[in-house]
Amino acid sequence: MLLHGGGLSGVTWDRQFSSLARDHEVVRYDARGHGGSSPVTGPFSHHRDLAGLLDGLGLDRPTLVGVSLGARTAVDFALAHPDRVAGLVLVGPGVSGMKFEDPFIVGLNARLWASTTVDEAAEHVVRMWVDGPHRSPDDVDPAVRELCRGLTAHAVALGAFGTPPDELHAVDRLHELRARTLVVVGDLDSSDIHAVADAVLRDAPRAEKVVVRGAGHLVDLDRPDEFDRALLRFLRAR
C-alpha cells in the first residue's frame, strides 16, 4: 500500500507502482483532500480512511509504504491495528504529535497560514518539503518541483491544509510498533524529520534506518534509484 506525501497525490508513485506490480499486489490512493479524493469538509482521520479502504478492498496485513504524511498515517494505522500490518516503510517520516522546531520549517509554516492565495500557499509548502532547508529551488529537479507545486495547489483548494485530522499522538507510542520497519531519510531533510527518524530507530523494536545522500524530504522523487533499492531489499527480506 503506497501512501503519498502531504499536498501530493498517488501519481507521485507512478514509477514504484509500475515496477512493484510485476511481483506484488500494489494499491495506491489519494488521501482525503488530495488528488481525486473528496475535499475536507469536517472532522476526519487519515488512518480511519485507510482502514475503511482496506476493508472495502478486502485486503489484510499490507506492507505500508508512506512518505511524510503517508508515513504519519501508516504509523497511526499500525498503532490502531497492529495485527493488520505486515511491515512499515517510513520515508521522510512525520508522526502525529511531533513538534516542529527547525527554524526554516517554523518560519515558512507561519507564512503558509498567512497566505492569501492558493499559489502563494503552495509555494510555501514546496519550499518547506520539496526544496527543504538546505537547497534553493534551483537545486531541485524542475520537473519534480513543478509536479509537486501543481499537486499542492490542488490540495490547498481541497482543504488539505485546513481542518487537522484526528490523530493518535504517536510520538509517545513508537515503542508499540511491532511490525518490521524501515526508515528512509534524506541527508538534506529538516532536523525535525531526522529527529523523528532517530526516535523510530531508537524506540521501535524492529526498526532499521537508511540515509540517502543528496536527497531532501521526498527521497522517492529526489533519488528514486537509491530509494527503490532500499524498498526492494526490505520487501525481499520478509
Side-chain angles (χ1 to χ4, degrees):
M1 175 68 75
L2 304 176
L3 309 173
H4 63 77
L8 306 179
S9 79
V11 303
T12 57
W13 288 119
D14 280 353
R15 170 184 168 128
Q16 289 78 21
F17 186 85
S18 296
S19 62
L20 289 172
R22 300 178 193 130
D23 301 302
H24 302 274
E25 184 176 13
V26 189
V27 178
R28 58 178 169 174
Y29 70 100
D30 296 341
R32 191 184 306 218
H34 297 73
S37 286
S38 302
V40 176
T41 57
F44 77 105
S45 166
H46 285 303
H47 72 271
R48 285 197 293 271
D49 284 351
L50 173 56
L53 176 62
L54 290 173
D55 289 344
L57 294 174
L59 297 177
D60 194 34
R61 298 197 76 246
T63 295
L64 302 178
V65 182
V67 175
S68 189
L69 171 66
R72 189 170 176 136
T73 301
V75 170
D76 270 8
F77 181 86
L79 292 174
H81 306 281
D83 296 331
R84 297 189 67 179
V85 178
L88 294 169
V89 180
L90 309 176
V91 188
V95 292
S96 58
M98 68 180 290
K99 294 181 180 179
F100 290 99
E101 298 178 342
D102 188 308
F104 179 84
I105 301 299
V106 171
L108 277 169
N109 195 53
R111 295 181 194 176
L112 168 63
W113 291 110
S115 299
T116 58
T117 68
V118 167
D119 286 342
E120 183 183 4
E123 180 61 24
H124 291 321
V125 173
V126 170
R127 284 289 293 126
M128 279 190 283
W129 300 119
V130 181
D131 306 337
H134 305 292
R135 299 188 295 187
S136 73
D138 292 338
D139 295 326
V140 179
D141 182 339
V144 168
R145 201 174 193 279
E146 186 59 27
L147 170 66
C148 293
R149 197 179 190 286
L151 293 173
T152 300
H154 180 65
V156 170
L158 289 179
F161 298 92
T163 303
D166 295 329
E167 297 180 306
L168 299 184
H169 205 81
V171 69
D172 296 325
R173 300 179 58 187
L174 298 177
H175 62 280
E176 297 178 33
L177 296 175
R178 298 301 177 210
R180 290 177 56 240
T181 301
L182 173 65
V183 180
V184 183
V185 63
D187 67 335
L188 301 178
D189 208 340
S190 76
S191 59
D192 296 322
I193 300 302
H194 279 282
V196 168
D198 290 342
V200 174
L201 184 66
R202 179 188 67 237
D203 295 342
R206 302 178 65 194
E208 59 180 303
K209 184 175 79 166
V210 171
V211 178
V212 179
R213 295 186 61 81
H217 188 54
L218 304 178
V219 182
D220 56 314
L221 296 179
D222 279 342
R223 293 290 185 270
D225 290 340
E226 292 91 330
F227 171 74
D228 288 355
R229 282 194 291 270
L231 175 59
L232 289 174
R233 278 197 302 270
F234 182 81
L235 293 174
R236 289 166 179 161
R238 286 189 299 180

